[in-house]
Every structure is written in C-alpha cells, then in structure tokens.
Amino acid sequence: MQEKKVEAQNILSMNSVEVLYDNVMLAIKGVSVQVPTGGMIALLGSNGAGKSTTLKAISGLLKAERGRISRGEITFQGADITEALAQKRVEMGICHVIEGRRVFEHLTPDENLTAAAPHGMSRSTLNAEKDKIYGYFPRLAERKNSQAGYLSGGEQQMLAIGRALVTQPKLLMLDEPSLGLAPFLVEEIFGILQKINKDEGLSVLLVEQNALAALEIVSQGYLIENGRVVMHGTAEALKSNSDIQEFYLGGGETDFHNVKHYSRRKRWLS
Ligand SMILES: Nc1ncnc2c1ncn2[C@@H]1O[C@H](COP(=O)(O)OP(=O)(O)OP(=O)(O)O)[C@@H](O)[C@H]1O
Ligand SMILES: [Mg+2]
C-alpha cells in the first residue's frame, strides 16, 4: 500500500539500474533516481560520472550506442519501460534534450518548432504551442524568422528547449543546458525553466555540472560519481554540504569551468 502511494507521487522511478556499453564497460552501477510528479530534480556530477548515461537509460537512447540496461528497472507513471523502444517512450511523454543543443541550423526557429511537432498534431494546437513557447522565450520570438545557425548559443539552447516543449512532454530531461553559456544567460534560461515547471506542472530532470545554478531552481539533487549516486538530498541540504561547497560551489559563479579539474579528487569516495 505504502509503495503504491510512492509510485503515484513519482512520475519516474529508476531502481538500481546498471548500464553496460559494448557488453563490458559498466558505466552506471546501480543508480536509483526518483522524479516526483511536477517536480524538478537535478543530477549533478563531474565528467564521466554517468549523468548522460542515466538519461539515455531513461529515454531509451542506449541502444544506438551499443549500450543496454543489464540490471534494475525503470518505471514511468507506474509502467515498466525498462525494455521499451525509444519511440514508445517519446509517445508516453518522455523528452530528452541531448547535450549540445541540436537544432536545424538551416531552418528558422519557427520552422524548427514545426519540424519538432509530433506527427498528426493539428495546426491550431501547433500554433498554440508555439505561442506559449514564444511567450516563455521572448528572445526566440524576436528571432523566429532568422536562420537558426546564426542564433547565439543561448538562443539555440532556448530553441532546443522549445523543440522539446512542442512535443508536449510529461517529463523533460535536459543534458547540461548551461554548458558554455555566460552566467547571465544561464540565469535567464534557468529562470524560465523554473517558471515552466511551476506554471505547467511539467516534471523536469536536469543534468548539470553547474551545481550552483542548478541547485537554485530544483527541489532535490542527486550527486553521481563513478557511476554511483554518492549523495541525495534537498537543494538546501546539498548547498550547505561541505564537500559540495568545496568541489562544486567553492569557486563562485564564474569558476564552474574549473569543476572538472577539482572534482577528480573526491573526498567522499576516498
Ligand atoms: N557509447 C559509449 N561507449 C562506451 N563507453 C561510454 C559510452 N558513453 C559513455 N561511456 C562511458 O561511460 C561513463 C559515463 O559516461 P557519461 O557520458 O554518462 O558521463 P557524464 O556524466 O555524462 O559525463 P560528461 O559530464 O562528460 O558529459 C564514462 O566512463 C564514459 O567514458
Ligand atoms: Mg554527459
């Protein structure tokens, strides 16, 4: 009974998942992550920790990289999706914005949104979705008829998020949306994400190395190192944790690029 209730509160539940690449490389080693329905959760960790692998396990993109889930299970809205095809997961409402803000550079932002719309979406629904996206991202509205390839990095990231939103997802997973962006842009985009999460009740799983920015907008975070969750807690608890402060928050806003370097010496694993 208790378990059923927990299940209903979590849109996504990942339990002790192991992922193998090429049948030999164990990339994640028993990762458990829960995303509450309507919640916003961060997955933090340094290079090679297993963050992207975790997202791929959820969206079903492992197969394309000769990876597979070798242990554990993943449920989405109570349904077991561990073996489901990627396309099926998209249809169920899982949207994965992969690292590197992929957009069609030769199309305009508006055409990019049209191209991302699910097959069979009516014109009126598509237009309503576009209006909503332009409402959240006014910069995108201003540039909607320019060539996407000429947008700034921040605008391209906004477009990548817009392309995800047009699919009307239930769970939005973002892989390092802040990468390479100036701090003010990260703040702007994260502020908008927080607003979308609140206004639309959209569940969000945010992968970030920029713990400082991520912990400002999520309710809980998981810290993953070497394929294992080494810490899980509320954003407040993580922010006040001395290891997190030293390795992830210590340098202040402009210093997060150095995180990769520092985080190689991890006190909580030694
Ligand atoms: N397609 C692949 N084939 C083999 N090994 C892989 C593959 N993709 C990732 N790995 C390995 O799995 C581990 C986890 O990688 P992953 O990309 O999930 O880390 P990450 O936390 O996203 O890192 P980053 O912050 O650099 O993006 C790493 O050791 C990586 O080398
Ligand atoms: Mg990654």
Side-chain angles (χ1 to χ4, degrees), residues 6 24 48 51 56 70 80 84 101 129 136 144 155 163 169 178-179 189 216 218 225 232-233 237 241 266:
V6 170
V24 288
K51 305 180 298 298
K56 287 171 193 166
S70 49
D80 189 335
R101 54 188 79 109
E129 284 303 317
Y136 282 120
K144 71 178 190 184
E155 289 160 351
R163 284 175 50 93
S178 81
L179 201 69
I189 292 177
E216 285 305 316
V218 300
E225 284 299 351
H232 169 218
N241 178 280
K266 295 165 291 258

Side-chain angles (χ1 to χ4, degrees), residues 32-50:
S32 298
V33 170
Q34 326 292 328
V35 180
T37 305
M40 189 142 165
I41 300 297
L43 202 56
L44 310 169
S46 52
N47 283 121

Side-chain angles (χ1 to χ4, degrees), residues 141-174:
E142 284 167 28
R143 308 292 311 271
K144 71 178 190 184
N145 295 318
S146 350
Q147 199 173 315
Y150 293 124
L151 298 181
S152 71
E155 289 160 351
Q156 287 189 3
Q157 185 61 63
M158 292 175 191
L159 181 54
I161 297 170
R163 284 175 50 93
L165 293 176
V166 90
T167 68
Q168 301 180 304
K170 296 191 178 105
L171 172 68
L172 177 64
M173 302 196 295
L174 300 163

